[in-house]
Amino acid sequence: MKILVLNCGSSSIKYALYNMDDKSVMTSGGAERVGLDGAFVKVKMPDGTKKKVMHDIPEHTEGVKFIFSLLTDPEIGVIKSLDEIDAVGHRMVHGGEKFNKSVLLTDEVLDVFKAVSDLAPLHNPANLKGVEAVSELMPGLPQVGVFDTAFHQTMPARSYLYAIPYEIYEKYGVRRYGFHGTSHRYVSQRVCEYLGVNYGEKKIITCHIGNGGSVAAVENGKCVDTSMGLTPLEGLMMGTRSGDIDAGAVTFIEKKLGLDADGLSNLLNKKSGVLGVTGISSDMREIEDAVANGNERAKLALDMYNYRIKKYVGAYAAAMGGCDIIVFTAGVGENQADTREAVCENMEYMGVKLDVEKNKTVRGEEAIISTPDSKVTVCVIPTDEELMIATDTMNLLK
């Protein structure tokens, strides 16, 4: 069975074609600058080589159409006919309270998805464009939606409700939904497979740490809390997002700077976080270089960044009454040894003992980085959201 995974953003389309017989990636890549000048598609071949193909992509349908043509291209294609594709799995960002699992995309399902688009006005419409593009190009091909928010729908009300007038939740759905759910689900399951333990009997804290970041508490196979909220802004300090901030400070800034709602959103989502504190970059590699060169604001930002991850890990251990496994994943979590060490430092009181030397040698591979006598097993597990989407799609078709 061959399954195409699509992740349509506002100006990008990422894709991967899987042969689910052995779960191998036949090809992958992404279209960038959709709707803008200088659009192109980067294609990654099975042998690891990459090819950049320039092509005008005015909108998503044209982008998906061009990606389909590359899949069957005589030079860089990996299939002879589009008929070899059995289904398409889509990353869908916000499912609201309507979706707690992946679903086959029918007209009725898409109507419900459209109804919650005001919760993710930048992401949901782009996701929908990808679905519509496939329907136009290959009518009748099964399509599946895998929602970022679905895994977190098992949170109890005490975790997801905000302490605001209840009518606002009832009328507008204002509550914590959480994001990165597909990643949290994948790594929490995968780490138990890796360790040979029962997923349904463990208390796991998953740290998806990248340019965007979130932490989730997974107890006995179900998410019971997560750091992101109504939007991906809440929680950790991120590359360009502020993370947790006093709502009173937000209104104070709004008045002082004379910002409207859009301006305030832009400030907190795109100009804050690591970039805002350092004034240098949102890329943690550049921040670590700046720290090495003695930049004090870069050091401050890194301390803030690591501290907030540690604080959430401690909070979720308390919420679950303990922790068996801590998992680091995503760009920073998989590759930045210093961040993992900072988060685990002085956590012996809750049973965490990091093997510092082992931690330094791990980069983007599955590994245990705690000591043999550590009561909490600390692991690095590279995330694979695309494989999770492909697997869900295959399972639904079966």
Side-chain angles (χ1 to χ4, degrees):
M1 180 179 286
K2 295 182 177 67
I3 292 176
L4 179 67
V5 173
L6 284 180
N7 179 356
C8 291
S10 57
S11 62
S12 66
I13 307 170
K14 297 178 183 177
Y15 70 93
L17 181 64
Y18 282 86
N19 182 343
M20 295 307 290
D21 293 340
D22 58 6
K23 297 186 178 181
S24 61
V25 180
M26 299 175 68
T27 185
S28 64
E32 298 184 30
R33 299 185 61 81
V34 175
L36 304 171
D37 293 336
F40 60 91
V41 177
K42 279 185 179 178
V43 182
K44 184 177 181 181
M45 305 303 292
D47 62 3
T49 59
K50 295 181 180 180
K51 186 177 180 66
K52 184 176 181 179
V53 185
M54 303 301 298
H55 186 79
D56 184 36
I57 307 176
E59 42 74 45
H60 286 74
T61 301
E62 178 59 34
V64 173
K65 182 178 180 180
F66 185 60
I67 288 169
F68 278 3
S69 73
L70 292 177
L71 295 175
T72 57
D73 182 85
E75 181 185 347
I76 61 175
V78 293
I79 55 177
K80 293 181 179 180
S81 168
L82 293 179
D83 292 336
E84 294 181 41
I85 300 174
D86 295 289
V88 177
H90 294 267
R91 181 210 178 195
M92 313 288 271
V93 171
H94 213 309
E97 292 184 313
K98 304 298 183 182
F99 302 105
N100 60 9
K101 59 183 178 181
S102 303
V103 294
L104 194 66
L105 295 176
T106 63
D107 289 341
E108 292 77 16
V109 166
L110 291 175
D111 285 342
V112 174
F113 182 67
K114 292 173 188 175
V116 299
S117 285
D118 60 339
L119 293 173
L122 294 178
H123 297 91
N124 277 22
N127 300 157
L128 189 61
K129 287 178 182 178
V131 177
E132 292 171 342
V134 174
S135 295
E136 181 178 329
L137 296 167
M138 297 186 70
L141 185 70
Q143 299 187 71
V144 167
V146 180
F147 301 89
D148 274 10
T149 52
F151 181 61
H152 304 303
Q153 287 301 297
T154 53
M155 288 190 295
R158 67 172 182 265
S159 296
Y160 68 70
L161 283 176
Y162 292 119
I164 56 176
Y166 195 78
E167 302 79 44
I168 297 177
Y169 161 64
E170 290 182 304
K171 189 172 183 179
Y172 302 109
V174 177
R175 50 157 285 184
R176 176 176 289 108
Y177 290 98
F179 298 87
H180 299 138
T182 307
S183 175
H184 287 295
R185 177 162 61 107
Y186 174 81
V187 298
S188 61
Q189 292 177 358
R190 175 58 198 153
V191 74
C192 290
E193 293 173 0
Y194 177 67
L195 296 175
V197 297
N198 190 335
Y199 182 53
E201 297 178 351
K202 295 298 176 183
K203 298 174 180 179
I204 306 168
I205 298 174
T206 50
C207 304
H208 178 106
I209 312 299
N211 194 265
S214 62
V215 181
V218 183
E219 186 172 5
N220 302 332
K222 294 182 178 180
C223 177
V224 295
D225 208 342
T226 192
S227 58
M228 282 182 167
L230 174 74
T231 75
L233 181 59
E234 187 180 2
L236 303 177
M237 176 181 176
M238 301 172 229
T240 62
R241 297 181 187 129
S242 66
D244 293 337
I245 182 172
D246 178 6
V250 172
T251 56
F252 181 84
I253 293 168
E254 183 179 30
K255 292 176 182 177
K256 287 294 183 182
L257 299 186
L259 298 172
D260 60 11
D262 289 339
L264 188 61
S265 176
N266 187 58
L267 174 75
L268 296 175
N269 279 286
K270 297 182 179 179
K271 296 182 179 180
S272 299
V274 174
L275 173 63
V277 175
T278 64
I280 297 172
S281 172
S282 62
D283 190 318
M284 294 305 293
R285 293 166 296 189
E286 294 183 30
I287 301 309
E288 288 199 330
D289 289 342
V291 170
N293 290 324
N295 186 303
E296 289 300 318
R297 274 171 59 186
K299 184 179 185 302
L300 171 63
L302 194 59
D303 285 346
M304 292 170 63
Y305 184 88
N306 295 337
Y307 172 73
R308 294 190 181 194
I309 302 168
K310 178 194 287 283
K311 190 162 67 169
Y312 267 99
V313 169
Y316 288 165
M320 292 191 292
C323 175
D324 299 308
I325 304 166
I326 297 173
V327 184
F328 289 96
T329 194
V332 175
E334 294 170 23
N335 297 301
Q336 304 286 106
D338 289 347
T339 288
R340 297 193 299 260
E341 183 175 352
V343 171
C344 294
E345 187 179 16
N346 297 324
M347 298 281 266
E348 289 85 0
Y349 74 93
M350 60 173 274
V352 176
K353 290 185 180 181
L354 190 72
D355 185 325
V356 176
E357 291 306 314
K358 177 62 176 174
N359 178 50
K360 289 178 180 177
T361 62
V362 172
R363 192 171 183 84
E365 61 183 41
E366 293 184 336
I368 298 171
I369 57 172
S370 51
T371 62
D373 63 338
S374 179
K375 293 181 180 178
V376 177
T377 305
V378 185
C379 294
V380 176
I381 300 291
T383 191
D384 198 336
E385 295 167 273
E386 290 78 13
L387 178 59
M388 191 90 259
I389 293 170
T391 301
D392 279 7
T393 301
M394 178 183 69
N395 290 339
L396 272 171
L397 291 184
K398 287 183 176 179

